[in-house]
Amino acid sequence: MRHHWKELIAVDRYVVQSRGALHELDRQVLTLLYQPLIGHRALALYMTLWGDWELLGGQEATHRRLMELMQCSLPDIYGERLKLEGIGLLNTYVRAFGDDEPKLFLYELRPPMTPEQFFRDEMLSTFLQRQVGRHLFAQLSDFFARPMADVARFTPVTRSFSDVFAAVPAERMVSRFSEEQRPLNEGKAHVGREEASYALDDEVFDFELFFAGLSKQLVPRRAMTAKVKEAIKKLAFLYGIPPLEMQKLVLGVIDPSYHIDIDALRQAAREWYELEHGGVSPRLVERVQPLAYRTMENANPRTKEEQLMKQLETISPRQLLKEIAGGAEPSLADLQLIEDIMFQQQLLPGVVNVLIYYVMLRTNMKLSKKYVEKIASHWARKKVKTVKEAMELAKEEAKTYQSWANEKEKGTKTVRKVVRTEMVPDWLKMDYSEPEDDDFDVEQARKEIEERLKKYRDGS
């Protein structure tokens, strides 16, 4: 396991730089639009690094200083840093000097999206609306909007550059270039402003299958610009649109000049989702494991473990929670927790199902927020993509995860230890010397979950 202390320790040093000038509008966008998505601690880390950029001016500092400024632990700082990286607000680089020497981290702040970019981004704006509700979302949208006059009702009188400024005579230009030029300050660059963005892995959408059934005569490859491909990835990730369905949507919005209107594609994706789901807003928890990441899709399960793998690959996290609860709708708190980790850690639905299954059998059929987030963060760093990988990692790191669960219990009045060796699923066999908890029968709970999943699979 890549523990946080193998990635980062308090004596490791860091230096901050920015990819562009940060302004008051950025602070408003970060506070009102990004904070509901990443949480107040991730925002605090960004603002602290912003302050360091202005205060230190490129000087190095230790992470202990960062811990003192934020009054939080190093694992918390590390976890919040990952959120900033995932949503496109931070680039992190590291320089190692030796096994026993402190590392040097370069934290490169990236400006947030402009309000226009944010509200035009289908995924971020949709999740913001789900986080804060329609009323507050409309209030935020109105706050960042400004009245615009109808330019068509006016006559343009703006002068061009050549109308105002005279050209420099050629002979003066030649003499100036022949003079000795003063070099730019080495190691420095002029402050600029890049377009804010965040990255989704290419694996979230099967472009190979998408292009395989798409005629080059109908959709030339030149029409598939980088912006169009990025929009397709985001829309497919948000709405769960398969490659073959996306083909139809693209064919429906391409114009005679072979230009793909991204706004029209967004609208088509929304309409497709509303038609498929009866007008319900998209939720990540409704998605199932993408076909490209199913290891049991074309296999016939031969063991109970493989049967469980196939079930977890073909059910959504929301439906899994519902089946575990015996058909009762999951609580909003549980759904929100699962949706948060799917968005912030970018875990695929099947991987999240393994996480739900594992945690439920470790914590008396409850979803402990800190415990779930800690394991999810580890799986995200390990880039776990399949159900099989998640199950194998859960088995390998079982003792470590149990120690995390025990840490969580230390603050309670009665320490409940719920795991015993003979009561765990075959794929989670481990050696524990923990005392038994007679109040919760893990084996019975596992059998009940498997029975409910079997009924769900059989449609009974």
Side-chain angles (χ1 to χ4, degrees), residues 38-39 41-42 45 75-85:
I38 61 178
R41 291 197 302 184
L45 176 58
D76 288 338
I77 290 174
Y78 181 68
E80 302 309 317
R81 191 194 88 189
L82 297 182
K83 293 180 184 179
L84 295 178
E85 293 171 359

Side-chain angles (χ1 to χ4, degrees), residues 17-27 30 46 49-51 53-54 109-112 191-193:
Q17 69 181 30
S18 177
R19 290 293 290 270
L22 297 170
H23 308 292
E24 174 63 16
L25 179 62
D26 295 322
R27 182 192 62 79
L30 288 164
Y46 187 95
L49 293 175
W50 184 348
W53 176 55
E54 296 175 325
L109 295 174
R110 300 183 63 189
V191 175
R193 181 81 173 194

